[in-house]
Amino acid sequence: YLEIKTCFEKAVRKKLSHGWLQSYLAGVETLYFGFRERSGMVRSTAEYKVAEIPQNCPWDGGAMFGLINGILNWVDSKIEDGTACTVNYRGIGKDVVLTRDGEQFLPPWFVYHVDNFDYLDYDDDLE
């Protein structure tokens, strides 16, 4: 798998943190950036190895995990299981805004399956 992002070349250092976190959590090893002009045309590309990105950036990967963990725990405490919502974060010093979309995000059959899945039986099948 790979992750592809586009941005203005001068914004790549800022965008790397988002791309790194998404790619790392998804198990993606390589992140590609297409550098675009104002017209939207990509004029050049760069390849980044996800495992090497934190070593070459000014931010801390552990702090990134702390931030996303805090946000996800906060969201989990504010919504009912299966409820769709949108989370917006506008940057340092700004609020995180949670908007309930009013629809069920996960279909009822999926929620039922997860709630009733016997993980012990599944583990036995793997041996």
Side-chain angles (χ1 to χ4, degrees), residues 47-100:
E47 176 183 315
Y48 299 90
K49 296 297 179 193
V50 172
E52 298 171 4
I53 292 173
Q55 300 159 6
N56 301 311
C57 289
W59 40 264
D60 181 314
M64 295 285 293
F65 281 117
L67 174 64
I68 195 67
N69 183 56
I71 291 171
L72 292 175
N73 284 330
W74 176 76
V75 169
D76 185 51
S77 74
K78 299 292 182 189
I79 62 170
E80 296 176 25
D81 287 347
T83 302
C85 66
T86 303
V87 178
N88 286 308
Y89 175 63
R90 302 282 183 215
I92 297 172
K94 308 281 176 141
D95 291 333
V96 176
V97 178
L98 175 70
T99 306
R100 288 175 187 81

Side-chain angles (χ1 to χ4, degrees), residues 15-34:
K15 298 288 185 176
L16 270 174
S17 61
H18 304 114
W20 171 77
L21 186 59
Q22 291 169 348
S23 298
Y24 186 87
L25 292 173
V28 173
E29 294 179 5
T30 307
L31 176 61
Y32 293 91
F33 269 89

